Structures are given as structure tokens and as C-alpha cells.
Amino acid sequence: MQCNVSFLTRKSRGGVTHKDDVISGSSIRIGRSTDNELYLSDFRTSLHHATIHDRQGRYYIEAESGSDIRVNNNIIQSTRLNGGDIIAVGPYDIKIVSADEGKDLDITVELVRQLGDDLEKLKQRSVTTLAATGFSRRRWSWVFFTVIAALFLALPIAAFFSDDVRDMFKDAPITADIAWKTGEFESAHTFFANDCKACHQEAFTTVRDVACVTCHTETHTHADPLFFELSGLNETRCATCHKEHNGRDGLVRRDEGLCGDCHKDLDEKTGTDLKNVQDFGKNHPDFSATMFRYDAAAKKFTSERDALKDKPVETSNLKFPHDTHLDPEGLDSPNGNQVMVCADCHQPEPGGIGMKPINMKDHCAQCHRLEFEEDVPQRVVPHGNLEHILYTLTEYYGNVALKGGYDDIDAPAVVRNRRRPGQRVTPRERKDAFLWAKQKAMSVGEDLFEDRVCATCHDVTKVKDGDSPKWEIAPVRIADTWLPKSRFVHNKHKTMECTDCHDASKSEDSGDVLIPAIDNCQQCHAGTSEVHNKVESTCVDCHGFHIADDFLLGDRKGMPARNERSATAARMEKPSK
Amino acid sequence: MMHQSLFVYSGYRYLKLSMLLIIASVVAYAIHAPVDGPNGGTWLGYTLGGLGAFLILLLMWFGMRKRSYKSSMGKVEGWLSAHVYLGLALIVIATLHAGFQVGWNLHTLAYVLMFIVIISGIFGVYAYLRYPELMTKNRRGNTLELMMIEMSELDRECRETAAKLTDEISKCILESSEKTTIGGSVRQQLSGRPKHCATQSAFNKVSELNKSLPKEMADDGSRLITLLGKKCELVQRACRDVQYKAMMDIWLYFHVPLSFALLAALIAHVVSIFFYW
């Protein structure tokens, strides 16, 4: 066969040059190797890439094993050649100009796929900087900034101003503005803690007391704002002392400045007769007990405060010598000799703060039996009401008189004589018997009241003489609190003996006030400065802050007054200096 | 030397300033005993918070300053020195501002973001101290561009040599020149070696194929091995160069975006404090 080959080369300016060649052979091998009839030098062609065969005047192309040829873009192993076919061999295109049967084969060969710039391709393939990977610092900066500003700034503000937004997040695990929370809520506040607006009612404004008073309606102010028109006091917010967002236990100011800032020179500031104080250990005034004294003329108790160091005397109208009862030798009692201790009468209240009240039935009657007839010790008069006592006595002696056989030489015969069974009492005898019984009851009563029983403990006065005399017992008021402005918890002092503070064993008179003076407390308790080895004690350890008698927090700052007291009336009640 | 002047700039001016701020903050924190414990809401808390916020803005302004070549507001060198030292001082100031209180809230988020930004910055300082030297050693006076030019020259030589050899060998050579890449994904850049290096596998295959080469091709075969070996070494160095550069850059991809996250959190933090005053 014979093949006319035209090697085409395109010029950069346009135009084509061609170099013609004539190849002959039994078949025409195509490849990179120089022994090929059609030698194609580019290394992308195989050494032996394909062969064109002449079979009875028809031309066929066949790919060598391991090589690809594309005839008109189809990967084909072998095919018959027709005019116009384009066969791709490596980077070359072989165009069949004419392959007519029995004639010469005319082809053109052109290197159409030039090897590109290796460097450019390498650069294109290689990503050598982080910036080229598509990560953009600028874009991520914007994304982060926007997301955080939206979630933590825009959303909470939107929730504050729009209930719709707030409701959208109502059932979400976190509400829109809870991310602003600065710390745990006090346990009592947790049930509304996810609603920031419950307290933070206005934007860019500190939490106002009105938010607190919504629930805390019964909390008292510190002092009557009408007596003490102090800017420092009346402008103090709840949150000044009660610090929320400080954990489950909450946080209340207890430092020295809490009270001391005002109370260190309160007299100068306000002209009050309250005493100045700053620190328990250094300059706390002496304890003043609230003393109740009986005004016999007015028949009522009045109270006043007296310094304990002056050993004030109380009138409870009860005679009670502590020393006799606490005699270590013991007392004669109906049950024999008995040594008494404090706890026999003074039992703590369930809360452990104070002591249960003392009463006749539980604490005295076991020994102090109200007997009136030596021979009948089981019969006693009732405690508490003189008329009832007289009535009981009259009843008893009336019964005795009618029964007869009572051993009293001054008594009429009907009382003295024993009666036989079935013997009737004449009306005359009955009259005598009752007259005697009444007189007897009166004389026994007088003896009980003035001498034998009642007067042991009480002040008894005979207020009316004659046939139907009258006695009066002065009312008894046993104080349970002498220092009502402070809070003393007995329970916390259990490790002490009662007598460490209450010197009862030497007290001969119930007028003694057995409350110790301040120096007794100062043995263990110091203030907040110069504590040394003592218990650091702040003002609020003993004293309350919300102590104004009549004014509630809701009353101040234009809130509706809870009580009806007018400002004028309040001023009139101002305590005199 | 840039990396030295960063620390000693103007007689350690900013180191001294930072130490002063740290000592003052610590002393104030130690003396101050607020009733509700140390926190951001006390006078010292607000002071430290204000100082911290100012520092954050100042540190972020460094990004503006270094881009503005005309600015006469101090030397960039000084700004960088201040950026590093004041950034470190910020750890102490912000921690004391918070009074060591943390929680699941925006405020701690801002603190954590600040911390990550500072940590990434510390890595940045480390990277700028360590990698330029390694880079210079690794490049041996070349640049990445020159290395790549050399690689494509080697490719051409390999092809010319391989043209005389077997088809399998030229196939390998073709793959080596067409598929070798430098760098790649973030992970590949940071790893310092390509996942599958075409040059390396060509080198291995050609070494194997060489053994069965006819005698007359042996010279060209061993020449090809030498060329491929050179290219392999070049690819490795280029990859390492990319790695060093990536190490010097990667921290900025945390430092910068997170500092903007911090800026947003800081604004939200300040607004929230005064909003719910």
C-alpha cells in the first residue's frame, strides 16, 4: 500500500505549512519509535500506537494493545477508514482525506494538542496558601460578629420590647434574654427567674423596689420615713443590701457599713435620742431592758427602757425568789426533798429561740398545792379567780354542815351532831347550817388569801370589809423578752450553762432582771473590727432591719399607704427627746 | 530583626506598661473586699472592665493601623509590641474583672472568646519566632516559585529521557508531571506532604521498571531515576515551605474571626449590663 502523508504545522500568525511524504509498506505502523512507518515523536504517543492495514484495497486501522485510538471521538480498537474520519493518536489528529478502495491513502497529520506550559499547570493544580483554599478571614469575621450580635444582643432586646418574641422562647430551654444572667438566682426567686422582666422592668434603669414589693407586701421599712427624712435612708433600694444573682442562698449585706454608715453619728444627723453605734465590740451602747412596772393606782402595767447596768427593778406582781428554788440542798415538797434546776420550769420553745411561758398548773402547782382543809388534802381550790374560790369553799362547807358531825366547837349543833340515817333536818337547822357554812367559807378564804396560800406568791389586798368582803390580787405579768429589739437564739447557745448568763441562784427577788449586760456578750462576741479570737458579729446577727412598726415598704416613694395614718398624726406621735 | 524588636521595642516600654497594669490590678483586687465578693459590678469591677474593654478595642485597632501606611500614629512595630504585651496583660485584667466567676452565659462566652483569641495570638508569636528561620533553611535561597520552575524543567527533562524508554515508564513520567501538586487542602498544607505524591510513586514505579530495562536503555533509565529523585526532594521542600507558611497563617484564621466574635460579645456584654442595670 502507499500512503500520501501531509504533516501540517500551524503558524502563530495564522496560515498552515505542510511537509508532504509518501510512505509505502505492507502496513503502516504509527508510533513514537523510529522504526515506525509513520513516526510521531511526541512522547504521549506509544512506541507502537496503531497500524493501518490494507485488506483487499480497503483500509483498516487497529490499535496496538495498551494504546487507545479515537476515531471521530469514539474509543475504538479497530475500524475501517473512510474519507473524512479523524483519528486521534495521542496528541495528534490524523485526518483521512481519502481512503477510496483500491486507491492510495491520503492523510494529514497534525499535532493538535500541544503540550501546555508545565509550570502554569503545576501552579494551577497546587494550592499553596491558606487564603487560596477558600477560607476567608473577613467572611468568617462577619459571620461570627453577626451571629453573636443577633443571638446575644438583638434577640434579648427584642424579647424585652416584644411580648411576641418573648413568647416564642417561652418554652425553649433558655429564654431569649437568659444568656444575660450574671449568676444563679436565690432559691426563692427561681420560679420566675427566667422572666428577667419580672424585676428588670425598665431598660437602662436599676431594679426598683416596686418590683420587690409586688410580692413582699408585708415587709416593713427600716424607719418611719416621716420621722427620719434622710436621703440616705429613703433612697436606699432593696437591691442595695439584697444582692441577687449570687447563688441559691442569696446574699444580703451584713458588713459594718450597712448600719454603721448612718448609725455612727445618727444623733447629729437626725437629732434622735437613739444612741450611736458602729461596731458591737467597740462602741455598742449598753443594753437597755424594756421594763414593765405596775401602776397600782391606774391598775395597769407601763413600760420603759432602763439600762441593765443600773440594775433596774421589775414589778411582775409575782413573788418568786430564784435562790430559794435553786437551793442546792433541795426543797421540802409533797414528794419529799427535791433539788430543782432551771430546766424544771424553763423549757425552750419548739423553735429554740425563746422559752415557753411559765404557768401555775405546769410549773408551781405540784408543790404549791391550794389545799384549804388539813384533814382533806386531796381537796384544793381552783387557781385564778377569787370568787370561784369563795364559791368552792361555800359549797364545800355547806355540804359539810348538812352532813353533820364536823368537829368545831363554835359551830351550831346541827353541824356538830352526827345524824342518824333517815333523820330529817328542820328548816331552822338548815338555816343555821348554811349561815355557819358561809361564815366558815369566808374565814377560811381570808386565811387562804391573806396568809396561808395566795399571799405566798401574790399581792392580795382586801378591798371591802363587812358581811361580804372582797379581795383583789394584783395582775401578774411575767416578762418573756426584755430586749425586744434584738434577736437572741437560746438554741445557738446550748453549749453554755444557764447560769453563765443568768445569775439566778443569787436572786432573792422577782424584781431582779436576770438578763446580763453587754460585757457578758462581749466576752465571746466582737464586732467586725478587731475580732481577734472572738465570734465576728454583725449588726444584723442580732437586729432586724425591717423594723418600722407601721410602715411597709409599699408605703414609701409614692406607693399607696397601707395604713390610714396621716402625716400630721404621725408627727404628733414623734417621740419626745 | 523584626521578631526581636517586637519584644525589646523602645526599651521594653510595653512590657513595663503591661507589668504595671497587671501589678496594679492584682494589688487592687487583693485589697478590695466588696460585700458580695469580687465581681464585675463593684467599683473595681467596673474599672477593670472598662480598662479591659478599652484594651480590646485598642488591640483590635492594630488590624487597622497595620493596614494604614500613611498613619503617623506610632510605628507599626511599636503597635505590634504593645499588641502582644497588652494582650497578655488582658488575661489578668479580664480574669480579675470577672472575679473568677463563670457561668453558662454571654459574659463567660465573651471571656472564653477572649481567651481563645489570646491563645491563638500566643501561637502566632511562637510561629513568627520559629518558622521564618526554618523557612529560610528549607528554601536554600530559593523561592516557592523558583522551586516550581525547577520542577517543570525536571519534568521536561524526564519526558525527553522517557521518550526513548518503554511505554510504562513514559506513562509514569506523564503522571508525575501532570498529577504532582504542591499544598492542597488546609489539612494537606498543614501536614507538609501531599496525600499521594505522584512524583514519589513515579519514582518508585520507575525504579522497579528499570530493573527489567534492556541494556541499551539502562543509561537513560538511571538518568531518569536521578531526575525523579531530584524532583522528589524538590516537591518535599516545596510542601514543607507551604507548611511553614500555613503554620504562620493558620492562627490568624482563629485570631481574626474570633476577635470579631469577641467584639460582638463585648458589645452585647456591655449593653446587657447597663440594659439590666
Side-chain angles (χ1 to χ4, degrees), chain B residues 90-91 94-96 98 102 106-116 262:
Chain B
L90 191 57
I91 295 178
T95 306
L96 297 183
V102 289
L106 161 71
H107 320 292
T108 301
L109 173 72
Y111 180 78
V112 169
L113 286 172
M114 184 207 75
F115 220 85
I116 299 175
L262 166 62

PDB file of all heavy atoms in Angstrom, chain B residues 90-91 94-96 98 102 106-116 262:
ATOM      1  N   LEU B  90      -4.125  41.450  79.327  1.00  0.00           N
ATOM      2  CA  LEU B  90      -5.592  41.371  79.305  1.00  0.00           C
ATOM      3  C   LEU B  90      -6.098  40.104  80.002  1.00  0.00           C
ATOM      4  O   LEU B  90      -7.175  40.109  80.606  1.00  0.00           O
ATOM      5  CB  LEU B  90      -6.061  41.413  77.846  1.00  0.00           C
ATOM      6  CG  LEU B  90      -7.541  41.602  77.601  1.00  0.00           C
ATOM      7  CD1 LEU B  90      -8.039  42.879  78.254  1.00  0.00           C
ATOM      8  CD2 LEU B  90      -7.822  41.644  76.109  1.00  0.00           C
ATOM      9  N   ILE B  91      -5.330  39.027  79.932  1.00  0.00           N
ATOM     10  CA  ILE B  91      -5.745  37.777  80.603  1.00  0.00           C
ATOM     11  C   ILE B  91      -5.967  38.061  82.088  1.00  0.00           C
ATOM     12  O   ILE B  91      -7.003  37.706  82.659  1.00  0.00           O
ATOM     13  CB  ILE B  91      -4.670  36.679  80.447  1.00  0.00           C
ATOM     14  CG1 ILE B  91      -4.514  36.292  78.981  1.00  0.00           C
ATOM     15  CG2 ILE B  91      -5.032  35.467  81.275  1.00  0.00           C
ATOM     16  CD1 ILE B  91      -3.432  35.255  78.742  1.00  0.00           C
ATOM     17  N   ALA B  94      -8.918  40.823  82.683  1.00  0.00           N
ATOM     18  CA  ALA B  94     -10.277  40.316  82.458  1.00  0.00           C
ATOM     19  C   ALA B  94     -10.658  39.289  83.514  1.00  0.00           C
ATOM     20  O   ALA B  94     -11.797  39.246  83.973  1.00  0.00           O
ATOM     21  CB  ALA B  94     -10.381  39.703  81.069  1.00  0.00           C
ATOM     22  N   THR B  95      -9.687  38.457  83.923  1.00  0.00           N
ATOM     23  CA  THR B  95      -9.984  37.441  84.937  1.00  0.00           C
ATOM     24  C   THR B  95     -10.339  38.092  86.265  1.00  0.00           C
ATOM     25  O   THR B  95     -11.286  37.694  86.937  1.00  0.00           O
ATOM     26  CB  THR B  95      -8.776  36.497  85.108  1.00  0.00           C
ATOM     27  OG1 THR B  95      -8.418  35.977  83.837  1.00  0.00           O
ATOM     28  CG2 THR B  95      -9.113  35.348  86.031  1.00  0.00           C
ATOM     29  N   LEU B  96      -9.580  39.125  86.627  1.00  0.00           N
ATOM     30  CA  LEU B  96      -9.868  39.822  87.884  1.00  0.00           C
ATOM     31  C   LEU B  96     -11.182  40.600  87.768  1.00  0.00           C
ATOM     32  O   LEU B  96     -11.925  40.719  88.737  1.00  0.00           O
ATOM     33  CB  LEU B  96      -8.711  40.752  88.255  1.00  0.00           C
ATOM     34  CG  LEU B  96      -7.381  40.048  88.528  1.00  0.00           C
ATOM     35  CD1 LEU B  96      -6.331  41.069  88.953  1.00  0.00           C
ATOM     36  CD2 LEU B  96      -7.530  38.976  89.590  1.00  0.00           C
ATOM     37  N   ALA B  98     -13.746  39.632  86.179  1.00  0.00           N
ATOM     38  CA  ALA B  98     -14.811  38.647  86.373  1.00  0.00           C
ATOM     39  C   ALA B  98     -14.815  38.101  87.801  1.00  0.00           C
ATOM     40  O   ALA B  98     -15.783  37.484  88.211  1.00  0.00           O
ATOM     41  CB  ALA B  98     -14.640  37.495  85.390  1.00  0.00           C
ATOM     42  N   VAL B 102     -17.659  32.197  86.676  1.00  0.00           N
ATOM     43  CA  VAL B 102     -18.030  31.734  85.340  1.00  0.00           C
ATOM     44  C   VAL B 102     -19.428  31.138  85.377  1.00  0.00           C
ATOM     45  O   VAL B 102     -19.922  30.765  86.433  1.00  0.00           O
ATOM     46  CB  VAL B 102     -17.052  30.683  84.782  1.00  0.00           C
ATOM     47  CG1 VAL B 102     -15.723  31.286  84.418  1.00  0.00           C
ATOM     48  CG2 VAL B 102     -16.884  29.549  85.778  1.00  0.00           C
ATOM     49  N   LEU B 106     -23.629  34.840  78.438  1.00  0.00           N
ATOM     50  CA  LEU B 106     -22.939  35.685  77.460  1.00  0.00           C
ATOM     51  C   LEU B 106     -21.601  36.180  78.003  1.00  0.00           C
ATOM     52  O   LEU B 106     -20.609  36.266  77.281  1.00  0.00           O
ATOM     53  CB  LEU B 106     -23.850  36.875  77.125  1.00  0.00           C
ATOM     54  CG  LEU B 106     -23.177  38.085  76.502  1.00  0.00           C
ATOM     55  CD1 LEU B 106     -22.745  37.763  75.081  1.00  0.00           C
ATOM     56  CD2 LEU B 106     -24.108  39.273  76.507  1.00  0.00           C
ATOM     57  N   HIS B 107     -21.593  36.499  79.291  1.00  0.00           N
ATOM     58  CA  HIS B 107     -20.409  37.120  79.882  1.00  0.00           C
ATOM     59  C   HIS B 107     -19.211  36.162  79.847  1.00  0.00           C
ATOM     60  O   HIS B 107     -18.101  36.553  79.516  1.00  0.00           O
ATOM     61  CB  HIS B 107     -20.745  37.573  81.301  1.00  0.00           C
ATOM     62  CG  HIS B 107     -22.116  38.167  81.387  1.00  0.00           C
ATOM     63  ND1 HIS B 107     -22.424  39.371  80.782  1.00  0.00           N
ATOM     64  CD2 HIS B 107     -23.272  37.700  81.908  1.00  0.00           C
ATOM     65  CE1 HIS B 107     -23.710  39.620  80.973  1.00  0.00           C
ATOM     66  NE2 HIS B 107     -24.251  38.630  81.651  1.00  0.00           N
ATOM     67  N   THR B 108     -19.495  34.908  80.196  1.00  0.00           N
ATOM     68  CA  THR B 108     -18.427  33.914  80.133  1.00  0.00           C
ATOM     69  C   THR B 108     -18.074  33.596  78.682  1.00  0.00           C
ATOM     70  O   THR B 108     -16.914  33.336  78.365  1.00  0.00           O
ATOM     71  CB  THR B 108     -18.829  32.645  80.899  1.00  0.00           C
ATOM     72  OG1 THR B 108     -19.080  33.019  82.257  1.00  0.00           O
ATOM     73  CG2 THR B 108     -17.738  31.602  80.859  1.00  0.00           C
ATOM     74  N   LEU B 109     -19.074  33.668  77.804  1.00  0.00           N
ATOM     75  CA  LEU B 109     -18.785  33.457  76.378  1.00  0.00           C
ATOM     76  C   LEU B 109     -17.748  34.477  75.905  1.00  0.00           C
ATOM     77  O   LEU B 109     -16.763  34.133  75.239  1.00  0.00           O
ATOM     78  CB  LEU B 109     -20.067  33.580  75.549  1.00  0.00           C
ATOM     79  CG  LEU B 109     -19.861  33.553  74.039  1.00  0.00           C
ATOM     80  CD1 LEU B 109     -19.486  32.150  73.576  1.00  0.00           C
ATOM     81  CD2 LEU B 109     -21.117  34.010  73.299  1.00  0.00           C
ATOM     82  N   ALA B 110     -17.988  35.741  76.276  1.00  0.00           N
ATOM     83  CA  ALA B 110     -17.044  36.792  75.887  1.00  0.00           C
ATOM     84  C   ALA B 110     -15.655  36.494  76.450  1.00  0.00           C
ATOM     85  O   ALA B 110     -14.640  36.646  75.767  1.00  0.00           O
ATOM     86  CB  ALA B 110     -17.538  38.149  76.387  1.00  0.00           C
ATOM     87  N   TYR B 111     -15.631  36.023  77.704  1.00  0.00           N
ATOM     88  CA  TYR B 111     -14.351  35.713  78.349  1.00  0.00           C
ATOM     89  C   TYR B 111     -13.633  34.578  77.610  1.00  0.00           C
ATOM     90  O   TYR B 111     -12.438  34.655  77.330  1.00  0.00           O
ATOM     91  CB  TYR B 111     -14.613  35.336  79.810  1.00  0.00           C
ATOM     92  CG  TYR B 111     -13.372  35.004  80.588  1.00  0.00           C
ATOM     93  CD1 TYR B 111     -12.538  36.025  81.054  1.00  0.00           C
ATOM     94  CD2 TYR B 111     -13.017  33.697  80.856  1.00  0.00           C
ATOM     95  CE1 TYR B 111     -11.394  35.733  81.759  1.00  0.00           C
ATOM     96  CE2 TYR B 111     -11.872  33.391  81.562  1.00  0.00           C
ATOM     97  CZ  TYR B 111     -11.066  34.417  82.012  1.00  0.00           C
ATOM     98  OH  TYR B 111      -9.926  34.126  82.707  1.00  0.00           O
ATOM     99  N   VAL B 112     -14.410  33.536  77.285  1.00  0.00           N
ATOM    100  CA  VAL B 112     -13.813  32.377  76.605  1.00  0.00           C
ATOM    101  C   VAL B 112     -13.300  32.784  75.219  1.00  0.00           C
ATOM    102  O   VAL B 112     -12.184  32.412  74.822  1.00  0.00           O
ATOM    103  CB  VAL B 112     -14.843  31.227  76.495  1.00  0.00           C
ATOM    104  CG1 VAL B 112     -14.342  30.133  75.570  1.00  0.00           C
ATOM    105  CG2 VAL B 112     -15.134  30.651  77.871  1.00  0.00           C
ATOM    106  N   LEU B 113     -14.104  33.568  74.503  1.00  0.00           N
ATOM    107  CA  LEU B 113     -13.659  34.034  73.178  1.00  0.00           C
ATOM    108  C   LEU B 113     -12.361  34.816  73.304  1.00  0.00           C
ATOM    109  O   LEU B 113     -11.425  34.632  72.536  1.00  0.00           O
ATOM    110  CB  LEU B 113     -14.745  34.897  72.536  1.00  0.00           C
ATOM    111  CG  LEU B 113     -15.963  34.144  72.006  1.00  0.00           C
ATOM    112  CD1 LEU B 113     -17.047  35.119  71.579  1.00  0.00           C
ATOM    113  CD2 LEU B 113     -15.574  33.253  70.831  1.00  0.00           C
ATOM    114  N   MET B 114     -12.341  35.701  74.301  1.00  0.00           N
ATOM    115  CA  MET B 114     -11.130  36.497  74.514  1.00  0.00           C
ATOM    116  C   MET B 114      -9.927  35.586  74.771  1.00  0.00           C
ATOM    117  O   MET B 114      -8.845  35.803  74.249  1.00  0.00           O
ATOM    118  CB  MET B 114     -11.348  37.436  75.698  1.00  0.00           C
ATOM    119  CG  MET B 114     -10.195  38.363  75.953  1.00  0.00           C
ATOM    120  SD  MET B 114     -10.123  38.855  77.680  1.00  0.00           S
ATOM    121  CE  MET B 114      -9.483  37.359  78.422  1.00  0.00           C
ATOM    122  N   PHE B 115     -10.179  34.552  75.549  1.00  0.00           N
ATOM    123  CA  PHE B 115      -9.108  33.632  75.890  1.00  0.00           C
ATOM    124  C   PHE B 115      -8.590  32.902  74.653  1.00  0.00           C
ATOM    125  O   PHE B 115      -7.380  32.781  74.462  1.00  0.00           O
ATOM    126  CB  PHE B 115      -9.606  32.623  76.935  1.00  0.00           C
ATOM    127  CG  PHE B 115      -8.582  32.343  77.974  1.00  0.00           C
ATOM    128  CD1 PHE B 115      -8.457  33.172  79.072  1.00  0.00           C
ATOM    129  CD2 PHE B 115      -7.712  31.277  77.846  1.00  0.00           C
ATOM    130  CE1 PHE B 115      -7.489  32.937  80.029  1.00  0.00           C
ATOM    131  CE2 PHE B 115      -6.744  31.031  78.798  1.00  0.00           C
ATOM    132  CZ  PHE B 115      -6.643  31.866  79.890  1.00  0.00           C
ATOM    133  N   ILE B 116      -9.525  32.432  73.808  1.00  0.00           N
ATOM    134  CA  ILE B 116      -9.093  31.715  72.593  1.00  0.00           C
ATOM    135  C   ILE B 116      -8.307  32.666  71.699  1.00  0.00           C
ATOM    136  O   ILE B 116      -7.282  32.296  71.117  1.00  0.00           O
ATOM    137  CB  ILE B 116     -10.299  31.141  71.831  1.00  0.00           C
ATOM    138  CG1 ILE B 116     -11.058  30.151  72.713  1.00  0.00           C
ATOM    139  CG2 ILE B 116      -9.849  30.443  70.558  1.00  0.00           C
ATOM    140  CD1 ILE B 116     -12.330  29.640  72.083  1.00  0.00           C
ATOM    141  N   LEU B 262     -15.606  38.161  69.488  1.00  0.00           N
ATOM    142  CA  LEU B 262     -15.395  38.764  70.802  1.00  0.00           C
ATOM    143  C   LEU B 262     -15.932  40.189  70.830  1.00  0.00           C
ATOM    144  O   LEU B 262     -16.561  40.606  71.801  1.00  0.00           O
ATOM    145  CB  LEU B 262     -13.902  38.735  71.152  1.00  0.00           C
ATOM    146  CG  LEU B 262     -13.454  39.607  72.318  1.00  0.00           C
ATOM    147  CD1 LEU B 262     -14.126  39.175  73.606  1.00  0.00           C
ATOM    148  CD2 LEU B 262     -11.942  39.540  72.489  1.00  0.00           C
TER     149      LEU B 262
END
